[in-house]
Amino acid sequence: MARIAVIGAGMGAMAAAARLAVAGHRVTVYERTETYGGAVRRQERDGFAFDTGPGILSLPAVWRDLFLKTGKEPLEACVELTQVDPSARHLFADGTELSLPNASRAGVVAALDEALGSGAGDRWGDFLVRAREAWDRTRRPLLEEPLWPNWPVLAEREPYPSVPHKKLLRTRRAATLAEVGAWELRDPRLIALLESHALAYGLDPRVAPASAAVLPYMEHAFGVWYVRGGIRELARAVYERCLARRVEFGFGAEVARILDKDGRAAGVELADGTVAEADFVVAGVAPGALPDLPPRATGDVPPQRGLPSRLTVLLALRGPRPAGTPHRTVVHTSDREGELAAVFGTGTADAGAAHPTVTLLRPDDPRLVPDPDHEAVTLTATVPASAAPDSTAHHTEAMISAAERAIPDLRARLLRHEPHTPADIAAATGAEGGAIPAPALAAAGGRLLHPANSTALPGLFTVGGWSHPGGGLPHAGMSGALVSGLIVEGPDFRGSR
């Protein structure tokens, strides 16, 4: 039985802790804040409750596997999962409305043809077939296996089988997601649908590789899910599974440095001077959160930098949620170039801020409201990390104005609104500016890969969104599985089969 110190109580760190405890190790988690979950938090006030982190779940199989491998109770015995159907309602800039069924290719094709015109469904359906090929080519190396020393193969090879396109007497293939949209989808509304998936993950479609096509494919193939009571309930369930497996937690316990003895990780020292010896250390922290974190494995990819953040506006509304209201609505921007310039730093700070792409989540969940005569709604938009505090009011107003397209009587019903800013994310996660890591993607020279879970210091491993395989709830869960495998089975671990 080894002693294992885990730094941070984010979702990936807790996933690793639970798996390591079941393998017979003595695990202690040190969390600098007063609660678990990392960015998966909840805001409660006057009977209203809101997720301030992710509000929906994709690839629930990752978390089902965690609960299966760490105890007899399955995930569904610990939380109530429901499919979100329709998966989303989309409101486009030209006034077109579209509702897409959950995980139904035939239904999606029919809905697109009806809303956007004949042929739109086939173009999107054909795109999903190509996206599936990219998914099949990258699923194991990007989600299920550690990042091996030959990672440049992933960096150089574009797995998306783009359609040949003639331009200026030359035949070209799409290298970016924007080119996939322009050359293969050829409809501004389909392009907006495609690019909204990248934007939601903090990726600029103009430079994101074509392999980012796997992001809408994941949602289409595996569905969109909601956890009753909010995604925070998933964090609670993982935390309680850790406790049931005798993982110890120390909250308000900030790690100051990692102990190094004879060239190997030997434990942690807390900010108050307390020393905790360990045989292995697992660090689930953002870059810069622990200044003397040793470098990742030699020749490894560098951490992602310059990623944007999110602004979430929590709305407490008077009046019941209308029957038949979609769980999720995406209000698309009327100024694509302005929004991308503002978010990704290629224009002025306020360019496009008046017309952001906004996602509304309106769960039919009595646990989130004081009574049936009220509704809890969250609005989310991608914004620059380290956004100036004095811009919050401007961005919030723009988001509420966009949301009025989905809720025309919004201002009349509004009891209270409260922004959750990049600074709040930074306080919860330690990430500079509140930046949010993107999932790992192939191609693009490795720019969207993440550093390996092994490091240059034997006995030290990294976990969570800033390590392989990157950001997002499914990826965090997989990082926990990978770190557990590397510790339990050793450096020859090749991932789950």
Side-chain angles (χ1 to χ4, degrees):
M1 178 178 72
R3 298 165 300 173
I4 300 177
V6 178
I7 308 172
M11 296 298 285
M14 290 197 296
R19 290 176 181 271
L20 289 166
V22 166
H25 300 298
R26 179 181 169 186
V27 184
T28 303
V29 177
Y30 301 93
E31 167 58 44
R32 66 180 180 85
T33 71
E34 297 300 328
T35 190
Y36 54 84
V40 182
R41 300 291 178 97
R42 174 185 287 147
Q43 185 79 14
E44 297 182 3
R45 180 179 168 188
D46 299 333
F48 290 91
F50 305 88
D51 280 323
T52 59
I56 57 174
L57 180 66
S58 60
L59 275 178
V62 172
W63 299 100
R64 290 189 178 114
D65 181 72
L66 171 70
F67 278 76
L68 177 67
K69 299 291 177 56
T70 60
K72 297 180 179 179
E73 279 187 311
L75 174 62
E76 280 81 356
C78 302
V79 298
E80 183 181 350
L81 281 178
T82 61
Q83 278 197 306
V84 175
D85 202 2
S87 67
R89 175 191 182 207
H90 292 267
L91 304 181
F92 296 104
D94 68 351
T96 304
E97 297 188 14
L98 167 69
S99 289
L100 293 177
N102 197 351
S104 168
R105 185 182 187 280
V108 166
V109 168
L112 285 167
D113 279 344
E114 181 178 353
L116 308 187
S118 178
D122 284 340
R123 288 199 298 279
W124 185 259
D126 291 344
F127 157 74
L128 288 176
V129 170
R130 293 188 289 274
R132 176 180 179 175
E133 191 168 335
W135 168 261
D136 289 341
R137 291 173 177 175
T138 60
R139 175 179 58 85
R140 279 203 63 80
L142 284 181
L143 282 180
E144 298 176 358
E145 295 180 345
L147 189 67
W148 302 116
N150 66 343
W151 63 266
V153 174
L154 280 172
E156 298 161 1
R157 183 180 303 166
E158 173 55 69
Y160 178 79
S162 55
V163 175
H165 173 77
K166 284 191 175 181
K167 187 173 183 179
L168 300 178
L169 302 180
R170 292 180 7 183
T171 299
R172 295 186 55 191
R173 292 182 180 271
T176 67
L177 198 67
E179 290 176 341
V180 170
W183 299 351
E184 299 179 13
L185 299 179
R186 305 188 309 278
D187 182 305
R189 296 159 299 184
L190 288 178
I191 293 170
L193 175 61
L194 171 65
E195 293 186 349
S196 67
H197 288 84
L199 188 61
Y201 281 99
L203 296 172
D204 183 347
R206 299 169 301 181
V207 297
S211 65
V214 300
L215 302 176
Y217 173 77
M218 284 168 52
E219 185 170 302
H220 163 77
F222 307 108
V224 180
W225 299 78
Y226 173 67
V227 180
R228 299 286 285 180
I231 297 295
R232 177 66 177 178
E233 286 297 292
L234 176 63
R236 173 200 55 78
V238 176
Y239 171 66
E240 291 181 353
R241 177 54 56 91
C242 287
L243 293 179
R245 299 300 167 261
R246 300 186 179 181
V247 174
E248 297 182 2
F249 284 80
F251 293 107
E254 182 176 0
V255 173
R257 69 184 184 96
I258 296 168
L259 303 179
D260 180 341
K261 183 177 181 181
D262 299 327
R264 180 180 175 83
V268 298
E269 181 180 338
L270 305 185
D272 65 4
T274 302
V275 170
E277 295 182 350
D279 301 296
F280 296 94
V281 177
V282 176
V285 297
L290 193 59
D292 66 345
L293 184 67
R296 307 300 174 93
T298 303
D300 203 357
V301 296
Q304 291 185 13
R305 300 285 186 178
L307 293 168
S309 186
R310 295 191 187 107
L311 176 62
T312 301
V313 181
L314 316 176
L315 305 180
L317 305 185
R318 61 171 62 88
R321 177 183 185 271
T325 296
H327 185 112
R328 179 173 58 157
T329 298
V330 181
V331 180
H332 293 268
T333 182
S334 59
D335 183 9
R336 171 189 181 269
E337 291 301 324
E339 178 177 40
L340 296 180
V343 171
F344 298 103
T346 56
T348 61
D350 289 331
H355 303 281
T357 295
V358 177
T359 298
L360 294 80
L361 295 182
R362 306 177 68 184
D364 183 10
D365 190 343
R367 303 182 197 181
L368 306 184
V369 291
D371 56 59
D373 291 325
H374 293 86
E375 184 180 5
V377 179
T378 62
L379 313 180
T380 304
T382 301
V383 298
S386 302
D390 58 3
S391 70
T392 298
H394 179 63
H395 281 86
T396 298
E397 175 61 25
M399 291 170 65
I400 292 175
S401 295
E404 286 186 281
R405 290 183 55 196
I407 312 176
D409 59 349
L410 172 58
R411 293 187 191 272
R413 296 179 57 195
L414 187 59
L415 289 170
R416 184 182 72 251
H417 73 274
E418 182 176 351
H420 185 79
T421 69
D424 296 319
I425 297 173
T429 66
E432 182 179 358
I436 296 176
L441 294 173
R447 180 171 47 84
L448 289 172
L449 295 175
H450 287 262
N453 308 104
S454 302
T455 72
L457 180 65
L460 173 65
F461 300 85
T462 62
V463 72
W466 295 99
S467 299
H468 179 72
L473 279 174
H475 301 74
M478 286 304 305
S479 75
L482 294 175
V483 167
S484 173
L486 287 167
I487 291 176
V488 173
E489 300 187 26
D492 294 330
F493 173 66
R494 289 294 182 267
S496 58
R497 294 288 179 179

